């Protein structure tokens, strides 16, 4: 029996799943939390040693929970939070705490880079996406300016999952999917972009520090003997390329062909699809990343989903069950109550300074239940706005696969189906990024053993076998409610543009 491990190093913690390569079942799981360094400047950092400690703990938990012989694990793969910046010197020592995707302290540096690229239009033309403050590029410029002595020692720039691959194998490489979120990468040509790099450093130091790029199905190498001993594994365990967490979640939800959209109802909202050609939009809202399945992964992120519903929940002093009960007791449209749910500003549409607001209140409709309905509907409208942007790019949607905490609400799932006018279903396995990493490890291992296999066909076969839908959660759009929501969504867009005329519909 061959076993495969998937490691997901996220912002809040590291999760590990161990998958039986014959049955496709998850036989072991583990998790461990991460700390974070933060302050009012927008600084959000972590130490790489925290990731290693969490990985070792989560891996041990997964093995112990599985009651397996660790020698049966033949390959593993790493999913990591995107956009972070890990700086290494020649000896492989980390030069500075890792700035994370959610670090906003380098906005000024990003503004400089964006201007150098020719603004939003120039960035889209040159890179295929708009370089954003959360991306790696502005963090590198900040590091150069703030720490010149450390900059002089810089030998390699890695993303978080690349660093874990380096710790596991000693190899300094990157793969196309995660690299495409760095702000230094041309998503159409699938290569590092010299002009973007030169905006930060034209001496050659940074260009030479960029790691070699490998394909999604390629092996990084094998475990270093000392790491194998720490994990309790054999040193001949293969380490697959891995990728960013969204790229691995795409594999873990079977989102590797056109028509499927993965939608996360988490603290923020994410939706992404598969494309077999680059998606370069006129709108900066779409991040046209490469996928980790040798295609492309157009992605949109909104900032207010369960973070918004939790704010209402706290106000009403409800638990999750109480919130869902109130939600189910209301009708579409919340008796006229409308909300713009921008408690955290908004990314799509780009309204970073926006504030949440309530509209159309009267003495009859101002109830707790209607507030619950209004916040869920408005958060869902925000994701519908993103889906509309996809459709404008010719990205079709035949099924939405839901993840995240909000997906556990049957009522919210139905609202998504009705607002999007599309079938909705959840996944049997909730840790989709870790599962995607395990599937990618199988893919890499199988292709290495049988070079005559077609890479795309083998990944399709593995996803069909190992990605399981929870059919009990499947909902179809109700024709009557769908028509209601078409009108309600139009009203939401009118309100949005009235309050924020800069939004282009």
């Amino acid at each position: 029996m061959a076993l495969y491990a998937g490691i997901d190093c996220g912002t809040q913690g590291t999760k590990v799943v161990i998958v039986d390569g014959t049955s496709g079942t998850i036989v072991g799981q583990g998790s461990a939390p991460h700390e974070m360094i933060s302050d009012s400047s927008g600084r959000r950092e972590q130490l790489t040693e925290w990731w290693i400690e969490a990985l070792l703990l989560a891996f041990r938990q997964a093995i112990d929970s599985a009651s397996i012989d660790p020698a049966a694990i033949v390959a593993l793969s790493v999913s990591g939070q995107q956009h972070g910046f890990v700086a290494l010197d020649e000896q492989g020592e980390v030069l500075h705490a890792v700035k994370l995707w959610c670090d906003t302290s380098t906005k000024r540096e990003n503004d400089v880079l964006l201007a150098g690229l020719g603004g939003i239009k120039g960035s889209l033309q040159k890179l295929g996406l708009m370089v954003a403050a959360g991306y790696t590029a502005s963090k590198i410029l900040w590091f150069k300016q703030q720490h010149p002595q450390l900059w002089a020692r810089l030998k390699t720039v890695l993303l978080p999952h690349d660093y874990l691959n380096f710790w596991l194998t000693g190899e300094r490489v990157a793969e196309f999917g995660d690299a495409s979120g760095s702000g230094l990468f041309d998503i159409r040509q699938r290569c590092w972009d010299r002009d973007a790099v030169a905006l930060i450093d034209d001496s050659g130091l940074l260009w030479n520090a960029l790691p070699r790029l490998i394909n999604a199905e390629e092996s990084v190498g094998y475990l270093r003997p000392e790491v194998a001993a720490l994990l309790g594994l054999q040193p001949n365990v293969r380490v697959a390329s891995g990728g960013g967490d969204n790229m691995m979640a795409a594999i873990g939800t079977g989102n590797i062909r056109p028509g499927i959209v993965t939608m996360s109802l988490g603290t923020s909202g994410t939706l992404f699809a598969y494309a077999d050609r680059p998606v370069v939009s006129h709108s900066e809202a779409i991040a046209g990343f490469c996928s980790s399945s040798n295609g492309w992964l157009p992605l949109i992120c909104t900032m207010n989903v369960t973070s918004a519903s939790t704010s209402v929940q706290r106000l009403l002093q409800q638990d999750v069950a109480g919130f869902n009960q109130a939600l189910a007791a209301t009708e579409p449209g919340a008796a006229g109550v409308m909300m713009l749910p921008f408690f955290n500003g908004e990314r799509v549409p780009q309204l970073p300074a926006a504030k949440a607001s309530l509209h159309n209140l009267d003495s009859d409709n101002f109830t707790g239940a209607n507030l619950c309905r209004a916040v869920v509907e408005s958060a869902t409208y925000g994701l519908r706005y993103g889906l509309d942007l996809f459709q404008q790019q010719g990205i079709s949607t035949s099924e939405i696969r839901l993840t995240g905490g909000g997906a556990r609400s049957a009522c919210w799932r139905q609202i998504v189906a009705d607002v999007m006018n599309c079938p909705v279903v959840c996944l049997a396995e909730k840790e989709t990024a870790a599962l995607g990493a395990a599937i990618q490890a199988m893919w890499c291992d199988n292709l290495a053993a049988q070079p005559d296999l077609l890479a795309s066909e083998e990944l399709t076969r593995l996803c069909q076998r190992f990605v399981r839908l929870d059919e009990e959660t499947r909902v179809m759009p109700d024709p009557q409610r769908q028509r209601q929501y078409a009108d309600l969504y139009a009203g939401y867009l009118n309100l949005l543009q009235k309050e924020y005329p800069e939004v282009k519909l």
Side-chain angles (χ1 to χ4, degrees), residues 194-327:
R194 282 190 177 271
D195 291 337
V197 171
L199 289 173
I200 299 173
D201 171 64
D202 61 2
S203 72
L205 186 152
L206 178 56
W207 180 258
N208 292 325
L210 296 176
R212 176 174 60 90
L213 291 161
I214 61 175
N215 287 318
E217 75 278 15
E218 285 189 59
S219 170
V220 174
Y222 296 92
L223 289 180
R224 295 187 292 130
E226 57 268 39
V227 170
L230 286 171
L231 293 171
L233 304 180
Q234 298 297 310
N236 61 347
V237 171
R238 186 184 303 277
V239 178
S241 68
D245 50 4
N246 289 305
M247 292 76 190
M248 292 296 102
I251 296 174
T253 57
N255 189 348
I256 59 168
R257 60 177 173 79
I260 295 171
V261 168
T262 302
M263 181 180 292
S264 172
L265 303 179
T267 302
S268 57
T270 308
L271 61 160
F272 48 82
Y274 175 83
D276 53 15
R277 59 181 57 86
V279 176
V280 179
S281 170
H282 295 301
S283 169
E284 69 276 12
I286 297 178
F289 298 137
C290 298
S291 72
S292 293
S293 55
N294 292 330
W296 281 265
L297 189 81
L299 180 146
I300 282 172
C301 181
T302 66
M303 298 302 292
N304 298 278
V305 183
T306 61
S307 58
S309 63
T310 299
S311 294
V312 171
Q313 204 178 307
R314 279 199 306 265
L315 174 69
L316 300 175
Q317 298 182 338
Q318 293 171 323
D319 58 14
V320 172
F323 181 88
N324 285 325
Q325 186 176 5
L327 186 62

Side-chain angles (χ1 to χ4, degrees), residues 71 98 122 229 237 365 438 487:
V98 182
V237 171
N365 67 16
D487 292 336

Side-chain angles (χ1 to χ4, degrees), residues 24 27 59 131 134 164 177 221 230 351-352 362 378 381 395 424 429 464 498:
V27 297
F59 214 98
V131 62
L164 289 176
L230 286 171
L351 299 168
D362 60 38
S378 63
Y381 296 152
I395 300 169
V424 165
E429 173 51 46
Q464 287 173 342
K498 178 184 175 183

Side-chain angles (χ1 to χ4, degrees), residues 410-430:
C411 191
W412 201 334
R413 291 196 299 270
Q414 185 65 60
I415 290 171
V416 172
D418 294 336
V419 170
M420 310 296 173
N421 192 25
C422 184
V424 165
V425 67
C426 296
L427 287 299
E429 173 51 46
K430 308 309 177 190

Side-chain angles (χ1 to χ4, degrees), residues 296-448:
W296 281 265
L297 189 81
L299 180 146
I300 282 172
C301 181
T302 66
M303 298 302 292
N304 298 278
V305 183
T306 61
S307 58
S309 63
T310 299
S311 294
V312 171
Q313 204 178 307
R314 279 199 306 265
L315 174 69
L316 300 175
Q317 298 182 338
Q318 293 171 323
D319 58 14
V320 172
F323 181 88
N324 285 325
Q325 186 176 5
L327 186 62
T330 56
E331 296 295 325
V337 177
M338 297 183 70
M339 179 183 290
L340 296 178
F342 307 140
F343 292 92
N344 302 298
E346 190 48 88
R347 183 179 297 175
V348 177
Q350 196 171 16
L351 299 168
K355 301 294 184 182
S357 55
L358 281 169
H359 303 264
N360 300 336
L361 298 178
D362 60 38
S363 57
D364 293 324
N365 67 16
F366 187 41
T367 68
N370 284 333
L371 285 179
C372 295
R373 170 70 69 158
V375 72
V376 166
E377 288 179 339
S378 63
T380 306
Y381 296 152
L383 289 165
R384 167 64 190 272
Y385 179 88
L387 199 66
D388 288 351
L389 292 175
F390 274 0
Q391 291 171 348
Q392 291 168 18
Q393 296 300 309
I395 300 169
S396 61
T397 308
S398 58
E399 180 177 270
I400 293 173
R401 297 184 176 178
L402 280 184
T403 65
R408 291 194 285 269
S409 166
C411 191
W412 201 334
R413 291 196 299 270
Q414 185 65 60
I415 290 171
V416 172
D418 294 336
V419 170
M420 310 296 173
N421 192 25
C422 184
V424 165
V425 67
C426 296
L427 287 299
E429 173 51 46
K430 308 309 177 190
E431 302 300 340
T432 53
L435 175 62
I439 292 172
Q440 195 210 42
M442 291 184 227
W443 185 37
C444 175
D445 195 52
N446 290 351
L447 292 175

